[in-house]
Structures are given as structure tokens and as C-alpha cells.
Amino acid sequence: MQLTPSTTENWRARLQRLGRDYFVIEEMIRLGFLDLSQQQYKTLQDSYTRLNEINGELQKLNIELKGTEDITPLLKEIRKNRIERVRAKRAIRKVEKARVSQAKKAEIALQKQKTPYHLGEGVSKGLRFDETDTEKLSQAGLPVLHTLEDLAQFSKLEMKQWVWLSYHRRVAGIDHYTRFQIPKKKGGLRNIASPKKTLRIAQQWILENILNKRPIHPNAMAFLPGKNIRHNAEKHTGKHTVVRVDLKDFFPSVKFPRVKGLFKSWGYSEGIATVLALVCTDATRIGASLDGKAYFVALGERFLPQGACTSPAITNILCGDTGYLDHRLTRLGEKLDWTYTRYADDLVFSTNITEDNLKSLLGLMNKIIKDEGFEINQEKTSVMRQHQRQTVTGAVVNGTEPRVSREDIRRFRAFLHQMEKNGSAAMSQKLGKDAERYAQGYWAFIHMVQPTQAEKFLNQYSWLKKK
């Protein structure tokens, strides 16, 4: 259908309202060049009307802008402000990112202290802290430790100090022990490792709060309250035969894995057991120097050091647990009618059987000791019959009660006489050690074994008793 544009409106008015382009189109419709529907024509008319209105508004804006000042400086200022705003936001984001990163690093560092995943070469396998048997520890009256944070809260040391003390380094710049040697009674030198202050505090806490709460076999006589050399000797007085066996390298025979296994058996996780075992053990170390700096090089495996307060307690517990050394040797003694005790590394068997089964005892004893990871010092193994002098941990046990031998009493009396005559300094030089401390120590031994004799010495030499 062909539409005829409205002629009611003056063509000039339509031209002004709709614009030149639409006017041309309308003329083409009128002359028949375009054929549009009523709807198409209406849409076209409305569109050009709006377009013409917009053009008119633009013309007005152009006229207004012609009278204004140059806006280039204003645009530059806007652009400058926008750049500064972007830079400020970027700086804020950078600071925030650094803060988040720092917080994350601090969180990771704290977590490493709570549950370290590496404590040195050869000791960090399976270092997990999620297997604590809370019920088992509670029933045993032991502190429940899930992480080093718990350990720090229970003890007087911080988490980082526990990590520092337990970290195993093959080559270290610091040694946690003061190492020296002392002469053995029967020749040779004994290696002593005395823990320094911080390590001593840690070991003392483990001793008091964990080790001292574990049961000890009744036939263990050393390093226990209420027991001493005399109590050990009393078990073997007046016997027909006494057998004394010395264990070679007693403390060094107990290695790190065995100590860790002991703590694990009580309910501690692999991680906590590792830390506790590392604090209680150490390797032999030698000093070395490189570029003027001192280093301490570990030789071999970690073991219980002689000089740590935890070592005697750990050996007592290890030997006394059901199925282990003291338990097995006690059962052996009961079966063959022998009395058994152990004073540290000194094992003693005694019997009143005249035709004793000594060969069976020694054979089975050797097997048990070897099974338990220890070695007999054959040079110090002795079998003492009733007609011989029988000694147990330095005390003579041939009679009805332990005593110090007459020869030892005479030698000690002569020593004290020489001290009074020649002076402490001269005797110290002769002995190669502090004569006064030696005398006080030996007097303490006599007092332990034979108190009446010790009092006689004290009446004459009052300085023997330490104040």
C-alpha cells in the first residue's frame, strides 16, 4: 500500500521538525519511489523526529561551548588526579599484599614451631603430631602433649628453644654439652657430657614430669630415691656364690630410635616422641675449625650421654619394662634359684646353692643381654665363692651385712693423716685432682655402706661432711 504524506502541515514546518533527510524520504514516498506500510512509516517518522531533536540539542551545546574558556587545563588536572588515585590504590594494594604475605609467613613459621616437619638428617622420618593417645597418657598420669606449643606451656621453655635443642646437625656451630673425661677406677678414661643450662632445664623437666612417673623394676637399685649402694649389697650378703657382670658402654648402647620408641609406647605421637628423644640423646662430637670459626662435628649415631640427668632414668625404665632386661634376668634368677639386682651397668647374681648351676646361668644370661642390645665387659665379669672376698658395688658382702673392707678403711685413714700432715694442696697435686673433694666423696661412700665407721671419721675430721 502506498502512503501519501500528510499535507496538512506546512512543508517548511515539516522540514524544520523532521530534518532534510527525512523530508527527502517523504518526497520519495509521495512520488511513489518508496512503498512503506503504515507501521513502517510511523516508526521512520518517530525516529527522524527524535534524531532531529538531538541534533538541535547538539547545536545549542556547541553554541554554549563557543563562549566558554579553554577546558584543556581542566582535563589535564582531571587526568592527573585520576593517575594519582590509581597510583594510590596500587600502593595500598601493594602494602596489603605485603601484609598478607608477611602474616602468611609468620603463620607458617609458627606452625613449623608447633609441629616441625624436619629436625635434622636421619631423625625426621615420619615426623607427625596427629597420633597422640590422650587416654593412654592421661591414665598413666603423663602430660598430654599434642604439639610443641603444649610442651612450651607445660615447661619453662619456649617452642623455638625446644626446636633449637632438639634439632640434629651433623656439623653444628654450637655444642649443647660441656665434654670432658674422668679416670675410671680400674684404668682408662670415661667420657662425660654435661648439659649446658638451657638443655639441662629441658632434661630436668622431662625427668620430673615424664620419666619419674614411669614404674621401675624393683631389682633396679641405682639413681632411685630410697635406694643406694648398701641396699643393692644387702641383697647378696652371706651367699655361697656371687657373680658380678659389667655391661660395656651401657649408656652409649641405648640409641636414639630405642629412646624414641619408648616415648611412643606411652602414647606420644611420632613428632613429640622424636623431640623428647632428641633432647635426651646426642652423638659423640669433636671440635673442628674452618676459616677461624669453631664447629662441632657429630660422629656416629645419637645415644644416651653419660652426664645427662635423663640417661639413668631412661635405662632404668627400658631395662625394667615387662619382657626386657631386668624382667628377663629376674625370671632367669628365679628359675635357677639366683638373686638378681642391677646397679646401673653392674649386674649381680647370688645364690646359696652349693652345687650351683653356674654354667646354665652364664649361658642364658649372655643370650638375654645380647638380645637386649647390650654387651658384657668380659674383663670385669667375676665369680666369687664364699671363701673369697665377695664385693658388690664396692662393699664387702661376705658377712651378715655390707661393709667397707679393712684395707680400704686403713688406706683412707692414712690418706686423711697425710692431708693433715702435708696439706690439701700437696695431696691434690699427688692425686691429680682435688684431694678434699675426693675425701668427702669417699667418706660419703663409707657413710652409705657403714654409717658407724663414717661417724668415727667425722668426729676426727669434721670437714669431711659437706655443708
Side-chain angles (χ1 to χ4, degrees), residues 116-131:
Y117 58 83
H118 186 73
L119 287 172
E121 182 185 350
V123 299
S124 302
K125 185 177 180 181
L127 204 60
R128 298 183 52 141
F129 291 79
D130 56 353
E131 300 169 352

Side-chain angles (χ1 to χ4, degrees), residues 2-3 25-26 28-36 44:
Q2 186 170 345
L3 297 174
I25 291 172
E26 195 174 60
M28 290 176 68
I29 293 171
R30 185 177 64 81
L31 296 173
F33 290 105
L34 285 176
D35 186 13
L36 299 177
L44 185 65

Side-chain angles (χ1 to χ4, degrees), residues 308-346:
C309 65
T310 48
S311 296
I314 289 173
T315 52
N316 275 342
I317 296 167
L318 273 173
C319 292
D321 205 355
T322 303
Y324 290 93
L325 186 70
D326 290 337
H327 182 261
R328 295 179 68 183
L329 291 179
T330 298
R331 293 287 299 273
L332 173 64
E334 291 171 350
K335 185 176 180 180
L336 300 178
D337 204 13
W338 289 76
T339 298
Y340 163 77
T341 63
R342 180 181 58 81
Y343 195 92
D345 57 355
D346 196 358

Side-chain angles (χ1 to χ4, degrees), residues 185-375:
K185 187 176 181 180
K186 294 187 178 180
L189 295 172
R190 189 185 307 279
N191 294 317
I192 303 296
S194 177
K196 294 179 182 177
K197 183 179 178 180
T198 307
L199 180 59
R200 187 168 64 250
I201 293 172
Q203 290 178 344
Q204 191 66 36
W205 184 89
I206 294 172
L207 175 66
E208 293 175 358
N209 295 276
I210 299 178
L211 300 178
N212 283 350
K213 295 182 179 181
R214 301 304 301 164
I216 305 296
H217 196 280
N219 287 342
M221 297 289 170
F223 318 114
L224 296 169
K227 290 185 179 181
N228 57 34
I229 288 172
R230 181 180 176 87
H231 293 101
N232 184 49
E234 284 175 339
K235 298 279 187 178
H236 307 284
T237 55
K239 296 296 182 71
H240 181 272
T241 306
V242 176
V243 176
R244 193 174 67 234
V245 177
D246 183 80
L247 298 181
K248 188 177 181 180
D249 298 327
F250 183 52
F251 288 147
S253 297
V254 181
K255 309 298 184 185
F256 163 75
R258 194 172 180 184
V259 179
K260 184 178 80 168
L262 184 68
F263 285 111
K264 277 193 69 179
S265 69
W266 299 336
Y268 288 111
S269 67
E270 183 93 16
I272 291 295
T274 299
V275 171
L276 296 175
L278 286 169
V279 170
C280 294
T281 60
D282 193 39
T284 300
R285 291 185 182 271
I286 59 171
S289 180
L290 180 65
D291 296 333
K293 187 174 181 181
Y295 294 95
F296 302 91
V297 183
L299 304 177
E301 297 180 76
R302 295 179 74 97
F303 55 83
L304 293 180
Q306 186 152 345
C309 65
T310 48
S311 296
I314 289 173
T315 52
N316 275 342
I317 296 167
L318 273 173
C319 292
D321 205 355
T322 303
Y324 290 93
L325 186 70
D326 290 337
H327 182 261
R328 295 179 68 183
L329 291 179
T330 298
R331 293 287 299 273
L332 173 64
E334 291 171 350
K335 185 176 180 180
L336 300 178
D337 204 13
W338 289 76
T339 298
Y340 163 77
T341 63
R342 180 181 58 81
Y343 195 92
D345 57 355
D346 196 358
L347 314 183
V348 183
F349 287 89
S350 63
T351 186
N352 275 323
I353 301 175
T354 53
E355 294 182 5
D356 55 69
N357 41 12
L358 181 60
K359 187 175 181 180
S360 297
L361 175 74
L362 294 177
L364 292 170
M365 177 190 67
N366 271 281
K367 183 180 184 305
I368 291 172
I369 290 173
K370 187 176 181 180
D371 285 347
E372 294 300 321
F374 297 107
E375 182 183 352

Side-chain angles (χ1 to χ4, degrees), residues 128-139:
R128 298 183 52 141
F129 291 79
D130 56 353
E131 300 169 352
T132 304
D133 193 331
T134 303
E135 184 178 353
K136 191 173 183 180
L137 290 169
S138 299
Q139 288 178 352

